[in-house]
Amino acid sequence: MTSFSRRGACPALSAPMQTGDGLLVRINPLAGELSSRTLIELAESAARHGNGIVEVTARGSIQIRGLTEDSACLLAGEVDTLGIAVRTGVPVDTSPLGGIDPAEVADPAPLAAAIRAGIEDAGLASRLGPKVSIVVDGRGQIGLAAIMGDVRLVAADATRWRISVGGDEAAATFIGEHDGVAACAVALDTLRAVATMGREGRGRDLGLPQSADESKPEPLPTTGSSPIGILPLADDRIVLGVGLPFGSIDAQTLIAFCTVATELGATGIRPAPGRTLLVMGLASASADTLTATATSLGLVTSPADARIRIAACPGAPACASGMIAARDVAADIAAELGESLDPTLSLHVSGCAKGCAHPGPATVTIVGDEKGAAFVVGGTAKGLPAAYTAGYEAARGMGRLTKLLAQERKPDEDAAACLARLGAKRLAQALAQE
Ligand code: SF4
């Protein structure tokens, strides 16, 4: 039996998730990419059966929103008819350029395949919870350090993998460094231990002690960065990465973009981490033309664009649970504050406490509730608010907070430390200023 299948066996398609704007399905193409023609047809299906919003997540999955039980079935049928084989089972994430990236330290694909096969052979898929995931990072041009993984394997060199458990790369607990065969065995042993905790178990719950400082390896040099822009491959080939504003695009805009990409000779489009799409097979001159098209369609074509630094869910009115217009607030903040946003600050704007766009903590989370826009510092959308503004004042409130940080942050502090030092009272005062 294989861990991959087409329609029906994919949990995301056969068991869509309930959200405030209807059912949502997540699609990870097994081949890693879709032809631009197939993506156009998928976008047409999303418009026909859902609310026309297509998303790419921080991990690089495609999401289609606003479905009903009946329309989700119709969509699943069309995905099958389009010949899109989807990945199922425990996610084992790699760079979408793994194996063809001339900058990568090691090809992650063989190790990822061995881990997937090991999960299947050990019957772990049904014993692990739906949120458990593995990251295999060959350290190429696309950074995976921010992606959460219960088990993380990072290429130390061409043959050895550094293994850590729980969280993103900065927070994960180092447990060892091994060649590929041993690294696979350690990863599977760790997943077996997670499975003994039941379907709620996560890597971070294993309670592994951090290694003593002297036994920790030297940090690896930073390699990957944002996939937005031109990424060189071997033989003068290039890839063009464009970002979706807040991970979202309406189906008609996606169709317009893919139509031009097809005309310019694109051979395929890969969803990628950081809420991006990678256009494959373009000549350099065509990439410039497609970049101009993407910019005119409102897509993100510069890694400096503030929109990629803000996580925001659809919010009101698209989502019935939304208490603030999260993406409008986020767009206003990006447009008005842009480069003045503190570079050490992570920002999440959430329509309600569910926090769909960013389940983890952020330096500042602006979340809608019955009192307006709550500002949570250093927590998640479910965290205790430090202060409030009216919903329509949220973007201006963030402007005041940005001013406060510019005045008060010490050179050795980051935004989180500065806001923690200033405390909730000072924050509330700053937000209340006219
Ligand atoms: S977090 Fe956003 S998308 Fe999720 S339920 Fe709340 S308003 Fe809807």
Side-chain angles (χ1 to χ4, degrees), residues 19-21 65 313-316 319-324 326 350-357:
T19 70
D21 61 346
R65 305 189 72 104
C313 73
C319 175
S321 304
M323 313 284 275
I324 57 172
S350 186
C352 77
K354 197 167 173 204
C356 296

Side-chain angles (χ1 to χ4, degrees), residues 90-145:
V90 181
V92 183
D93 293 324
T94 60
S95 164
L97 298 183
I100 58 169
D101 184 345
E104 71 190 357
V105 173
D107 180 357
L111 179 54
I115 293 171
R116 287 188 189 109
I119 290 171
E120 191 67 34
D121 291 347
L124 283 169
S126 59
R127 293 165 49 210
L128 291 166
K131 293 190 174 162
V132 172
S133 66
I134 298 100
V135 176
V136 184
D137 184 356
R139 288 175 60 225
Q141 297 178 72
I142 298 180
L144 303 184

Side-chain angles (χ1 to χ4, degrees), residues 309 340-347 362-364 405 409-419:
R309 295 183 44 214
S340 63
L341 263 185
D342 189 298
T344 67
L345 176 142
S346 58
L347 177 60
T363 316
V364 176
L405 275 169
R409 184 157 77 82
K410 296 177 181 168
D412 58 347
E413 272 183 329
D414 62 14
C418 177
L419 291 173

